[in-house]
Amino acid sequence: MQRYSALSVLWGGLTGQKNWRPVWGRPQPKPEYDVIIVGGGGHGLATAYYLAKVHKIRRVAVIEKGWLGGGNAGRNTTIVRSNYGIEGNTEFYEHSLKLWENLSHELNYNVMFSQRAHVNLVFSPGHRDMLARKYNIMRLNGIDGEYWDQDTLRRRIPHLDFAGRFPPLGAYVQPRAGTARHDAVNWGFARAATALGVDIIQGCEVTGFIREGGAIVGVEARQGEQEYSIRAEKVGLAVAGHTSVLAKKAGLGKLPLETHKLQAYVSEPIKPFLDCVLVYGGVGHFYISQSDKGGMVYGGHLDMYPSYAQKGNLPIYEDVAAACMAVLPALGRVKLLRQWAGVMDMSMDGSPFITKTDIPGLYLNAGWCYGGFKATPGSGYCFAHTIAQDRPHWANEKLTLTRYREGRLIDEEATGPTPKLH
Amino acid sequence: MLRIPCPFCGPRDHSEFSYEGDASVTYPPLDAPEEAWFEAVFLREDRRGPTEELWHHLYGCRAHVIVERDTLTHEITGARLANPAIRAALSEGEE
């Protein structure tokens, strides 16, 4: 792998940028691998990378139907945080955040992780009590969290509206949280995995699974006109958004999932306006940050009905825009530049699963709801561990599929088995 | 905006409705084995394509409506009242 450094950038600048080489190729699928990962999004690529790096399993293929990062990895609001309050989630997301903190060095690729703080506004004493409980739980678990009173909030986010009928009273803040460049994460993992010998096969759809005596021992795939039977000792699914479709093909049957769509929006670029991730939760649902290009990146609720279409609907945009005006009215005249939607595995308790399945040889990574981006390195790390060692890593021990049957739900929002509300 | 043909109210915006879940799910008797309840509460077909869904016309006639909808194209091909007795009464009224 050609290493990147400040010097290599400078050298490239002086030599007409002729030093750049393609960092992953278009390999033909081999007839056999040790592990096949279905899904070339952030989670799948991270899994392949950690399989090769940590577990020294180098005969790995990532099979992607579309192109790298063309799914939800490229359709999110790039927020990274670990402000969770329930065991199972707390340790997993904190583990993931710690991986983020060193990711650019680990991958020798600038993922532009910016720990600019995640600011959760508080609008009533009850709201404050609820968040105080969560942020105290976080602190007891060694996760950073603090309270900003109204004066601090006025100083830190001057554009907030304090003149409204219910002004923010303060905010709970996770200073180590922030944003990252979503494409860079995919490209960084893909480049680093390729350097360790992983085959990344794009434009190749998994159409079925090879079975032997009840076990899954590979996949049937199609790339254009070409059909392949690719064998592997272990197959991992990392196809959030289409998990139910692939799970049915694999014979897993029904899962505790409903597939919904979530929209995100970006405005025209403006001058520096907001230097943190701002969240207006509880009463409304609105989150916003400013990209390095200046665009305001924001989103809100799901569209509230199941969908596999990557296209959003206008009523939710009206809600999101209204929520924006309630907290940042200065953005009222800023124009919307782009809007997109991604399809989400909404699980029955709002939390994911990274687990072995009842089918020997098949491993499942799914149920990310709309929090999958921040989980990218942690999910890959834990899924690789689960596949390689045949047992969960301590950080994903509780993210099982059997927890629903056992009544051990990890229901952060306390909204019960109603996927659209998580 | 989806337009849902409510059997009472005619075509209405989907923002008047609340999506309530997969219409093929039926709850077992209270004394049914735990497995049956586990399946009804937690497991879903989650179809990619034509499906039947339960929608509540919350900001309209408040009826529960079974809507035939495609989750890939969002095309709506039919709607009927979920309650068979009211459905029968409504069709009698039409005759």
Side-chain angles (χ1 to χ4, degrees), chain A residues 242 244-245 248 254-259 261 304-309 313 315 348 404-405 409 417 420, chain B residues 1-2 14 18-19 21 35 38-39 41-48 53 55 69 71-74:
Chain A
H242 285 78
S244 296
V245 178
K248 261 175 221 162
K254 294 193 280 188
L255 291 174
L257 289 177
E258 234 176 46
T259 303
K261 66 187 150 81
M304 291 292 176
Y305 54 87
S307 170
Y308 282 90
N313 214 326
M348 281 291 178
Y404 300 94
R405 194 184 293 270
L409 303 191
K420 68 173 183 179
Chain B
M1 189 75 81
L2 308 180
H14 87 265
S18 167
Y19 169 76
E35 189 57 32
F38 165 67
E39 191 173 332
V41 172
F42 291 114
L43 300 186
R44 293 293 175 266
E45 285 286 348
D46 194 19
R47 289 181 198 84
R48 183 177 189 264
E53 303 171 328
W55 289 71
R69 192 176 69 93
T71 57
L72 190 57
T73 62
H74 296 177

